Amino acid sequence: MAEFTMELNDEQREVRDWLHGFAADVIRPAAAEWDEREETPWPVIQEAAKVGIYSLDFYAQQYFDSTGLGIPMAMEELFWGDAGIALSIVGTGLAAVGVLANGTEEQIGTWIPQMYGDQTDVKVAAFCSSEPDVGSDVASMRTRAVYDEATDEWVINGTKTWATNGGIANVHVVVASVDPELGSKGHASFIVPPGTPGLAQGQKFKKHGIRASHTAEVILDNVRVPGSCLLGGKEKLDERLARSREKAKASGERVKNAAMATFEASRPAVGAMAVGTARAAYEVALDYARTREQFGRPIIDNQGVAFQLADMRTQIDAARLLVWRASWMAVNGKPFTAAEGSMSKLFASETAKKVTAQAIQILGGNGYTREYPVERMHRDSAIYTIFEGTSEIQRLVIARTLAGMPIR
């Protein structure tokens, strides 16, 4: 077990500086253009693939960093560059992690390479879980997967929403209910291979922020996938469902939603994204306050501006520490007895919204225009308090954990 430390080692610093250089030289110069176009920035993703950032190997190295700091460090630097483009680069990782966590060795070796493509022909993947009208109530998922024993196929019907890369992905990973009576414990994940009949893109969302990231509905109309596309295999699924039914029978209650507890370990990564955006806005505001003069002196000499910057930096550093603590706990198997994962995501996401708003205020009228990036950063920051569980859900998870109550 790695000791918790706030000091990056030499290898981590090298990776951080490499990512920062890519974010500064490649992502930032393209940010405004792709925000306006509201399209997937394929050229930037291809550049990331060429240097090795857009690859399974890179994310695996960060994911298995024994200190737990690899992923949050990478997320902070990329999202410091631009949130929309960074999400386009890391979005495939959501689907890849789903396969790594649940798939067999054969499934991992077959499908993950197809998610990324190669340097000359990059691909993306989509993880499809959220649904219309379901929101945070994961246990009420309506997408159904029914096994056709005669053909050894699963038939999937339903609609997914808010899917990053939904409809444009080469490979879709779809979460569906195979036993609605078991709530979230009756869910399973399926690979939908490229070109599968019945899968189609629904509405593409025109968003307030992260516009360079493609977000859309995914329609599944009698989608048939081979039995081998059930992640983990049917034998493993049947065993898990049987155990869940026995527990439900013994308790006399419907199985509670365990998804919230599962998400706890992934939320620090979203917190790190928020830290990156907040830090970017703070740095713009700090530079502006040092160089912008009013009444014959830099505006940072004004206590009202200086105190805002002091608060911004303090909140950013506090958010990073919460994210690093939760990330270290997750990789070292420490139990989140106080919902530390949700704490980190809650505080970092709220900090990003607040800091980006303060940055606009410091820049005044200039901050409200698209000539300066803080306007875009403020729009982008709004997503952090919504996806991967809203701030309200984070507070609910924390409160119920502290009270010793089940997370529903």
Side-chain angles (χ1 to χ4, degrees), residues 177-195:
S177 174
V178 296
D179 189 336
E181 292 300 316
L182 293 177
S184 65
K185 290 190 179 294
H187 295 174
S189 296
F190 300 85
I191 292 285
V192 180

Side-chain angles (χ1 to χ4, degrees), residues 183-220:
S184 65
K185 290 190 179 294
H187 295 174
S189 296
F190 300 85
I191 292 285
V192 180
T196 300
L199 184 147
Q201 179 182 310
Q203 176 187 6
K204 177 187 175 182
F205 296 104
K206 296 182 72 67
K207 305 187 297 296
H208 176 66
I210 55 169
R211 294 176 178 178
S213 174
H214 175 95
T215 310
E217 289 182 331
V218 174
I219 312 299
L220 301 118

